[in-house]
Amino acid sequence: MTFFQSKGLQAPDGFDWASEGRGTALVASIESLLSDLTDRQQDALKAELDHLASLANSNGLLSAEQICAGQSIDLEGLEGVEDVLLLLAIQYPHLLDRVSAQASLMQRTGGKQWSAFQFEDDGKPWAISSTAAREGFLNEAIAILELPTHRKREADWFKVIRLHPITGEEIEILQATIYVEERAESELAFGPSDTLERQIVPKVLEVGLACNAQDRVIEICAKGGKEVRDQYAKAFAKHFAPESETPVETPRRDVLLDKLRSAPKFDIEPADGIERIEVSALDFFATGGGFSRFERRGDGETLYQFLERRFGTASPLKASGWQIVSATIRIVIAARDSKRRKTLTVTLRTPNTTTLPNKTETDRQFVFDLLERWQLIAPPPKDEFVLEDV
């Protein structure tokens, strides 16, 4: 009712808002309510309702919750996604485009048109709040798209709050949706004289960016294939993290940390050239709240031996109510072929963060193959979810 009142429509006394479903008395009553509007007004209002209906799903609700949390908008007391969307349509209509963009990013996460990039945890600052850095990144995005400089463009920067699925920890994400005027298309439409005319219809191209400064991960959603998204990642590093190395693309694969609840027997082959492997750190989360982190103490004792000696059956590896949320593994490669011994370190964090070594592509693929062999990451998604549009 409030939604229609915001559009200047007043429902008559006794209007039944309780009916549900298509073809009900409610639908007929709403059609009657709209009948006093002009055809253009009816089309505009129905198009808005159709847009809200397209967001009335689990992704739409989660997107709205994340964006509203980032804007400190209280949704307490609202019942379901419809109430949330109607609230936004009435009081915060400018946020609906953000909800739509976020829902689209969420739907495409892990599939085609999406890539995630992991920066090294080098402690060097990011300039994500810099106006100059944002403007420079936007200009470079236009260059990557190879569009004429006169094309209109706009970048919407906003904050969302994601919740960790296990710990419930709030993770602040800076997101940007870049809107660019794409090449217009010619379509048939009825013109002012009610006759068919060929009209030029402007089109908008979108590029999505999500920046997790805490884990130093950026997600990029854009058409054009992997090479294009690599260029966006380099542009991000250039403008927002100029002191850091170019980030590494990291496949989104769920990590399987329960396999580390007991001392693992890592399957290695002579060709691997591995001198030793150790779990050097484990992070735990306790049901009901609370974190604990344990690191390997020294050469004479493994982390598992230390936890057994120090805590026995009360160890978080054995006691109920503890979950492993992060693990760091050190892989020591023996010296050979005139090459020095080296150590490759990888950290796995729930639900799907893998900090592969940011050294060479050979090292990264080597470690990734080991994680698959040791079943510490889930199998890749089916082919239909990773086919790339170029």
Side-chain angles (χ1 to χ4, degrees):
M1 180 174 63
T2 306
F3 173 78
F4 287 111
Q5 288 176 346
S6 70
K7 305 298 180 181
L9 295 173
Q10 187 64 45
D13 295 339
F15 192 95
D16 183 10
W17 296 98
S19 302
E20 297 180 355
R22 292 184 178 273
T24 64
L26 174 60
V27 174
S29 298
I30 291 176
E31 291 282 359
S32 176
L33 183 63
L34 301 183
S35 62
D36 291 335
L37 299 176
T38 66
D39 290 341
R40 294 290 185 186
Q41 289 173 325
Q42 288 190 47
D43 288 345
L45 187 52
K46 289 177 180 179
E48 184 175 353
L49 290 172
D50 286 341
H51 179 55
L52 294 176
S54 72
L55 296 174
N57 51 47
S58 57
N59 276 350
L61 177 58
L62 183 56
S63 299
E65 289 174 340
Q66 292 178 349
I67 287 171
C68 288
Q71 302 293 316
S72 300
I73 297 174
D74 186 12
L75 301 179
E76 190 70 28
L78 297 180
E79 298 181 4
V81 62
E82 291 86 359
D83 279 3
V84 172
L85 293 174
L86 287 173
L87 170 72
L88 295 180
I90 295 166
Q91 298 186 24
Y92 310 97
H94 63 287
L95 295 184
L96 284 175
D97 285 339
R98 293 181 178 177
V99 173
S100 183
Q102 171 70 348
S104 177
L105 175 65
M106 194 177 297
Q107 183 177 1
R108 290 183 282 177
T109 293
K112 61 183 181 179
Q113 302 179 5
W114 178 93
S115 295
F117 296 84
Q118 175 75 56
F119 283 79
E120 275 194 292
D121 189 11
D122 54 16
K124 296 176 180 177
W126 284 6
I128 56 176
S129 298
S130 167
T131 301
R134 293 182 180 185
E135 188 63 29
F137 178 76
L138 176 58
N139 290 334
E140 193 152 342
I142 303 303
I144 292 171
L145 292 169
E146 297 182 345
L147 294 172
T149 56
H150 71 270
R151 293 283 170 82
K152 298 176 183 177
R153 80 288 302 269
E154 181 178 321
D156 182 25
W157 298 85
F158 55 95
K159 180 176 70 175
V160 302
I161 301 296
R162 297 181 186 174
L163 297 180
H164 191 285
I166 295 177
T167 67
E169 177 189 11
E170 290 189 352
I171 304 171
E172 183 175 308
I173 307 293
L174 176 67
Q175 292 196 190
T177 305
I178 299 174
Y179 301 95
V180 181
E181 183 183 26
E182 198 176 13
R183 183 178 293 107
E185 295 182 1
S186 174
E187 297 181 357
L188 282 174
F190 283 99
S193 59
D194 293 334
T195 58
L196 275 177
E197 299 176 1
R198 185 158 292 279
Q199 300 182 354
I200 302 301
V201 181
K203 296 293 182 179
V204 174
L205 177 68
E206 295 181 17
V207 176
L209 169 73
C211 169
N212 180 346
Q214 177 177 313
D215 291 336
R216 301 181 77 82
V217 174
I218 61 170
E219 303 170 37
I220 296 171
C221 192
K223 294 180 180 180
K226 178 182 180 301
E227 291 184 1
V228 169
R229 291 190 292 278
D230 285 344
Q231 292 181 59
Y232 284 123
K234 291 178 181 178
F236 181 94
K238 173 183 175 182
H239 295 284
F240 295 104
E243 299 180 32
S244 298
E245 293 186 20
T246 301
V248 176
E249 183 174 3
T250 57
R252 187 181 180 92
R253 303 274 286 276
D254 287 346
V255 298
L256 309 174
L257 297 183
D258 277 347
K259 293 183 176 293
L260 299 179
R261 191 162 285 279
S262 57
K265 295 181 179 179
F266 294 109
D267 176 22
I268 60 174
E269 301 171 358
D272 296 331
I274 295 176
E275 183 176 299
R276 70 175 186 275
I277 307 170
E278 60 186 22
V279 178
S280 60
L282 290 172
D283 290 3
F284 298 89
F285 174 73
T287 303
F291 293 87
S292 292
R293 176 177 176 82
F294 297 91
E295 297 187 38
R296 178 177 175 274
R297 290 173 59 85
D299 292 335
E301 186 177 46
T302 69
L303 177 58
Y304 291 89
Q305 291 169 338
F306 164 73
L307 290 173
E308 174 66 26
R309 174 177 62 80
R310 180 64 179 81
F311 299 101
T313 57
S315 162
L317 290 169
K318 296 182 177 181
S320 62
W322 291 92
Q323 296 186 69
I324 303 176
V325 293
S326 177
T328 299
I329 300 173
R330 299 176 73 246
I331 304 166
V332 180
I333 309 298
R336 64 178 180 180
D337 299 332
S338 71
K339 294 182 179 179
R340 296 180 179 180
R341 184 177 66 174
K342 64 180 178 181
T343 301
L344 301 176
T345 302
V346 58
T347 298
L348 310 176
R349 298 190 186 96
T350 57
N352 46 39
T353 300
T354 306
T355 60
L356 295 176
N358 197 11
K359 303 299 181 186
T360 67
E361 183 59 35
T362 300
D363 287 344
R364 290 192 290 274
Q365 191 57 54
F366 174 68
V367 173
F368 199 70
D369 289 343
L370 290 175
L371 295 176
E372 288 185 322
R373 184 195 305 174
W374 299 334
Q375 297 182 343
L376 292 175
I377 55 175
K382 295 181 180 180
D383 290 344
E384 60 263 32
F385 296 113
V386 296
L387 291 176
E388 188 65 72
D389 285 345
V390 179

